[in-house]
Structures are given as structure tokens and as C-alpha cells.
Amino acid sequence: MKHWMTTAVAALALAMPAIAEARPVEFERAARPAGGAVVLPVGKDGALSGLSQDADKAAKGAIAAAIATAGFKGEAGKSLALYGAGPYSAVLLVGTGEGAKSAQDLKTYGGVTAQGTSGWKTPVIVVVPDAADVAQDASVAAMGAQLGAYNFGKWGKPAEAGEPAGGLTFLAKDAAAAKRTFDRDGAAVVAGVSLARDLTSTPSNIKSPDWMAQQVVAAFEGVPNVTVTVMDEAAIEAAGMGALYGTGQGSARPPRLVAVEYKGGKAGEAPIAFVGKGITFDTGGISIKPGPNMWRMRMDMAGAASSAGAVLTLAKRGAKLNAVAVLALAENMPDGNAIRPGDVLTSMSGKTIEIMSTDAEGRLVLADGLWWAQETYKPQLAVTIATLTGAVGGALGPDYAGLFTKDDALAERFLKAGEASGEMLWRLPIHKNSLAAMKSDVADIKNGGEGAPGASVGALFVMEWAKPETPFVHLDIASMAWENSGNATTPKGAVGYGVQLFDEIARGYEAK
């Protein structure tokens, strides 16, 4: 392994706000709740079964009567709150439609439960629906509850005073097994997603590349089997990373490259590498963006945040493999020292790049980050993840991230992992004509191509830095990193997209 000059990380000067602690969860053996506040699953057309039906009997039919009166159809993800129904002080009815069929259905059930009972100050008993082929239903629902209850809060403001919401107790056939599964796996996923959301949500006047590097160091303090390396701008320049250095040279806050290495597998075994775009704010540089919605460019480092979050999840659950997150961090600003359209940068690989647009900067930092990761770790899989192009949103909307790879088997593996994790992917094409559009007269390649599909051009550019021997996937998450209205497991704002997907991918490699 090559050794690079690194810089010591300064003491934290500006920490993130005190994020509210995750709502506590417990597990008990499944039985009809005797009283108090409860959550009950309701099937299609308001059907009650199992413990929900038993609870209605205890309430002398009051729950079924309320369902009929309200016209509640039990649609998946919908809910209805009742108060004073028989022995129950409060009842939240959560629809399951045709029934929970996947882990994602259970996470949605848990998220609706947490959000629908957020104002309840007493402990809440949660009856969990069964889902076919899902082990430990209650544990998965509890994970969804904590994901759905996430709250970044307001910067610089203490958490709102008042009594917190009551804890959630999930009923399980084997409560001890459900708790073990949650403590080992569910809590680790929540920690990784929360880290990614916290970093992405932080305002960019605070979130410089150095600040983000410091936060990542702090997040992994004391986590076993993890080493964090931070390269400052001098080390980046010395390593020949002209694309990363050039992207950040217009900012008064210089770039950083961070590597979070987790060793949970066999000694010497090649890791899987997640390389994340980390533009801590993107003005577009000299090719400045239009004003509307530029504020959201605080989230242009979401790929880097999710890469770090994924490795935190793997480390906290003790995954039996080696993994590394490489965060290529820079701020893209239109200073007098910024790069210009028409400039030529030399990347770490020696490949030269003609700049067509300074707003196509994410692919620049990924080029050097990916090459460095391959040179340093020789990974058995390399994945780049980035809020790279607006074009991917035009193609896929807010339902899928774009998946690009030349490897059909890898594509199938990632598509299945997307379905299992609930972080959906859609494979998009790469074509030689898109690469031809990036042919440069003065450099090896241009960072854009006129008339070619934007998302595919971005992906093909990054692929130019993937070595032939490295299995490689590129993910464009530009339309998935920020939730404008919120849903059951993702409150409005930063999503942390990629953490659950990468955890699922890692499980496949662990099973080899």
C-alpha cells in the first residue's frame, strides 16, 4: 500500500446541533395488549385479524365500529387515531393493505407508527404484522420507527422543551431474538443513516471540507477496527490529484480527501470501496447555477456522507468483510482563483481533462477519489455514489437512482439489493457515442459532451478512471438524496440514500 502525507485533524470548533436521541424501543412477547396506548395493523377494507381482532373484542367492538364510521380502508401506509376505545387510552390503526410482504413494508409500518404516535407521552405497545420471508419482523419495524422519527432540528436551537414521546414496545414471537437482531443490525443501520442525514443537513457556511472531515473523525472515535485518514490540500496536491485540487481552488476553504477503512474480514482481503462525491456547496463555479433552489446544494456531498454512513453501519454491526469509504471533499466557488471553462487539469492517473463546465465538478473529484482508492486498496468492488446530474431526475424522477455498470452480473446484484433495502435503482445505458462526445482537441477527455444524455455522459466520464481489473458500479443519486415532503421512513430533508443499499450489498459479499 502506498503511504500518503496526511494532516492531523484539529479539535472540533463547530459541532453539529444536538440531534434528538432516537426514540427508545423495546421488545416483548406477543400477546393481546391489556390497555394503555396501542398500535394495531389493519388489513384491506378495514379487516382486523390476529391480535388486532383480539383487541377489538376487548374494546367490545369499538375499534371495528370506528373503522366503519371513518371509512378507513386499511390502505398501506395510512393511519387512523382513536382515543378512549374500551381499555385503550389511545389506538393508532396502521393500514397494511394486502399485507406486509417485505422488509420495506415493515419499515414503512414502523415509520408510520413512530410519526403517528409522536405526540403521545405514554409508552406505546405496537402489534407488528407478519411478513413472509422476513426474519424478526418486530426488529425491522423498530428500525423503520427510528428512521421515521429522525429529526435534525433547527440549527443553533436546543431541542424543544417538553415531555418526550413515550417509548415504543414492539411485540414479537421471540422478544429476546428480536432485541438481539435490532441491537446488532437495526441500530447499526439507524446510526449510519443518521450520520449521513446529519452531515447532509448541516448548512454549508458551517460545512467546509475540513469541518466535514473532522465530523467523520469524531463519528468513528472508539469504533473498533476502523482507521480514518485525512489528506489536506498540500497532500492532495503532492499526490497529483489535480482534478480534486482544481475543483476546490476557487474556495477559501480548501479540499480534503478522507478515507475511512474498516477491517472486519480476513487480513489482506481486498475491501469493497465506496467513493463518494463530497461537494460541500456547489455554486457551479464560474459556470454559476441559477438562483432558484441553489440553497439545496448543501446536499451535494450526500454521496460522501452516505459512504461514511455505510461504513459506520458495517463497523457497528461487526460485518465480516473489509470496506473503505473514500470521501472526495471540495467546495465549488466562483473566486478569482477558480478554474475556468477551457482550462485543462491533470488528474492523479495522468489523464488530462478539458473543462467545458465548472458545474460538472462532481465527476472531477470522483475521478481522483476513485483512482486513489484503487491505487491504495486494490478493491474487489468499487462503487462511486454522487448527486451527479439533474438529467437522472428527468429520466427517473424521485423513485429510482441511476445505476451504471458494464457488468451485467453486478447490475443484477445491485438491482436486487435495491429492492431488498428499499433504496431502488434503475439501470441506465452507457453508449460509445456518449464517450465520443467527450473527445477533446487539447486534452484526453472533456468533462462534458454536447448533445449526449447528461447522466450517461457523467457516468462514462467517471468510468474512464475505473481500472479494467476493478469491478465497478456508478450510482447517480441526484434525485434521491433530498426528500421535499417526507414519507414514513424519511422525514422532509436529507435522506441518507445509499446506506441501506450498501449494507445489503455488503451482506452479499459476506455470504461468499
Side-chain angles (χ1 to χ4, degrees):
M1 178 187 295
K2 293 186 178 181
H3 296 276
W4 305 99
M5 178 174 23
T6 62
T7 183
V9 179
L12 296 179
L14 291 164
M16 285 182 288
I19 309 298
E21 291 188 7
R23 193 168 173 186
V25 298
E26 298 291 344
F27 300 90
E28 288 185 0
R29 184 175 177 277
R32 176 179 62 79
V38 299
V39 177
L40 305 175
V42 178
K44 182 180 178 182
D45 295 327
L48 297 172
S49 61
L51 294 180
S52 294
Q53 190 174 50
D54 291 347
D56 183 51
K57 290 178 181 177
K60 301 187 185 315
I63 296 172
I67 288 172
T69 299
F72 185 60
K73 300 298 183 183
E75 296 172 284
K78 303 294 185 181
S79 65
L80 174 68
L82 311 175
Y83 299 94
Y88 306 113
S89 58
V91 179
L92 183 72
L93 304 174
V94 178
T96 60
E98 297 283 356
K101 295 179 173 60
S102 67
Q104 185 58 34
D105 289 343
L106 289 169
K107 284 187 278 188
T108 296
Y109 182 86
V112 173
T113 290
Q115 293 174 10
T117 62
S118 61
W120 297 4
K121 308 305 180 184
T122 59
V124 181
I125 303 296
V126 184
V127 175
V128 181
D130 289 328
D133 300 323
V134 177
Q136 302 302 342
D137 294 343
S139 174
V140 177
M143 181 175 71
Q146 290 202 333
L147 291 174
Y150 173 87
N151 180 15
F152 182 72
K154 293 186 177 181
W155 190 269
K157 301 289 185 182
E160 292 185 7
E163 187 179 355
L168 300 171
T169 297
F170 291 83
L171 302 185
K173 294 176 182 177
D174 187 337
K179 178 174 173 54
R180 285 194 301 270
T181 300
F182 178 80
D183 289 347
R184 183 189 67 231
D185 295 341
V189 170
V190 171
V193 173
S194 296
L195 173 63
R197 290 176 177 176
D198 292 348
L199 291 170
T200 306
S201 298
T202 299
S204 292
N205 60 316
I206 303 298
K207 186 172 52 188
S208 68
D210 184 59
W211 180 93
M212 185 165 166
Q214 293 179 39
Q215 297 302 313
V216 171
V217 170
F220 284 90
E221 185 71 33
V223 178
N225 304 316
V226 173
T227 302
V228 182
T229 299
V230 177
M231 296 176 67
D232 66 6
E233 68 271 28
I236 289 168
E237 186 176 26
M241 296 188 214
L244 173 57
Y245 187 89
T247 299
Q249 73 183 44
S251 173
R253 307 192 295 181
R256 294 288 185 266
L257 187 129
V258 180
V260 184
E261 186 179 6
Y262 167 67
K263 293 183 177 180
K266 297 176 182 178
E269 185 176 57
I272 56 176
F274 308 121
V275 182
K277 171 187 173 182
I279 303 300
T280 56
F281 192 78
D282 183 18
T283 65
I286 297 298
S287 308
I288 197 162
K289 293 178 179 291
N293 293 318
M294 194 196 289
W295 65 269
R296 199 179 290 124
M297 287 299 100
R298 71 172 66 170
M299 64 87 170
D300 212 19
M301 35 55 67
S306 292
S307 297
V311 173
L312 182 63
T313 291
L314 299 180
K316 282 186 170 290
R317 71 171 178 82
K320 304 301 182 185
L321 84 168
N322 299 326
V324 61
V326 176
L327 321 181
L329 307 176
E331 185 175 61
N332 189 23
M333 299 291 282
D335 180 77
N337 195 44
I339 58 173
R340 298 157 288 263
D343 286 0
V344 175
L345 303 179
T346 302
S347 68
M348 184 183 176
S349 72
K351 193 185 296 288
T352 56
I353 307 163
E354 181 184 4
I355 304 302
M356 303 307 292
S357 169
T358 63
D359 194 25
E361 83 300 325
R363 64 201 67 181
L364 300 179
V365 304
L366 287 179
D368 276 341
L370 175 60
W371 192 261
W372 185 87
Q374 293 170 108
E375 288 282 284
T376 308
Y377 299 105
K378 296 178 173 55
Q380 62 174 311
L381 167 70
V383 186
T384 52
I385 177 170
T387 49
L388 204 68
T389 69
V392 78
L396 302 177
D399 301 312
Y400 299 93
L403 164 67
F404 299 86
T405 183
K406 297 177 181 178
D407 187 320
D408 292 342
L410 267 181
E412 187 63 22
R413 173 176 286 186
F414 270 75
L415 290 170
K416 288 181 178 178
E419 291 178 1
S421 66
E423 296 191 324
M424 303 294 287
L425 300 166
W426 194 274
R427 190 178 184 185
L428 289 173
I430 48 178
H431 195 278
K432 61 181 181 180
N433 288 343
S434 295
L435 188 59
M438 290 185 281
K439 184 178 179 180
S440 171
D441 294 329
V442 298
D444 292 317
I445 193 171
K446 297 189 294 191
N447 76 332
E450 293 183 7
S456 295
V457 165
L460 273 169
F461 180 93
V462 177
M463 283 182 183
E464 285 292 293
W465 277 263
K467 296 185 176 185
E469 67 270 23
T470 304
F472 176 71
V473 170
H474 170 69
L475 303 178
D476 192 335
I477 66 167
S479 61
M480 305 299 288
W482 193 268
E483 175 61 51
N484 289 325
S485 56
N487 56 49
T489 56
T490 305
K492 181 180 179 180
V495 174
Y497 181 97
V499 174
Q500 296 177 77
L501 172 69
F502 288 165
D503 182 53
E504 192 66 32
I505 287 292
R507 289 178 185 277
Y509 279 82
E510 289 178 89
K512 281 186 175 180

